[in-house]
Amino acid sequence: MSTVLSKSQMKKVTLQELKQMALDVKYSLWNQAEANNRDVKLYVHWSAGRYSQFWDDYHVQIDYDGSIYVPRGVSLDTVLAATYMRNSGSIALCFLGCFDATTNSGLGTNPITAQQVEVMSQCICVLADALDLTIDKKRVLTHGEAGDNEDGVYCHEPYGVKTTIERWDCEYLGTPESSHYNPYATDGTRGGDVLRGKANWYRGQKLLQ
């Protein structure tokens, strides 16, 4: 069960600090992943809570203004309860917000902001660089995509955006480039496609290299 953390239990970090955190546990994460016959994964969630409301089941949490937080005392190889049957050898990233989000009427009273989208994409980029990951759907997924095993790794019965919709985190971002729920879109407007595209763009700009 998720537990709310106070701000004093969180540490604000820079992209450079986040990259170093990933480098520090690179081999541990890969050992965990390989023990499950898969690559290291990055999973993107939203909290379905309020802005500035922190949680104990995500490694990296991004607030409305783009500030990056990690729980104090939790390393990036700590196995947290974020992504069903997929937590070993993975890092859980989270947009803080999306309270009362629905598939058909918007992302609630605390919707994803443009700053969050850019910083999430930057976080994906620097973590992937540190961990030697290709930024593609096999290694970087939204929770909704992971729920349906869209990476081709069948960890569990599907429960995502194309099946039960039990989890549909980040299927759309509420921004002009990803404005509405359409899990069968092939035009790059799904939330995961937008985030991976932006992260690859930042990689091309040699962010932090």
Side-chain angles (χ1 to χ4, degrees), residues 107-179:
L107 296 185
T109 53
N110 291 250
I112 294 171
T113 67
Q115 295 96 318
Q116 285 178 303
V117 171
E118 295 306 316
V119 173
M120 178 66 79
S121 303
Q122 293 168 1
C123 288
I124 291 168
C125 173
V126 301
L127 291 172
D129 283 350
L131 300 170
D132 296 330
L133 298 177
T134 304
I135 301 172
D136 59 15
K137 196 188 287 188
K138 287 189 175 182
R139 297 159 186 88
V140 182
L141 298 89
T142 67
H143 195 181
E145 292 170 334
D148 278 340
N149 301 309
E150 289 193 38
D151 55 355
V153 179
Y154 293 89
C155 300
H156 43 69
E157 290 297 314
Y159 64 91
V161 293
K162 296 177 180 177
T163 52
T164 68
I165 321 181
E166 182 181 345
R167 290 290 183 272
W168 58 282
D169 305 33
C170 312
E171 183 54 37
Y172 73 105
L173 305 176
T175 62
E177 49 214 336
S178 180
S179 60

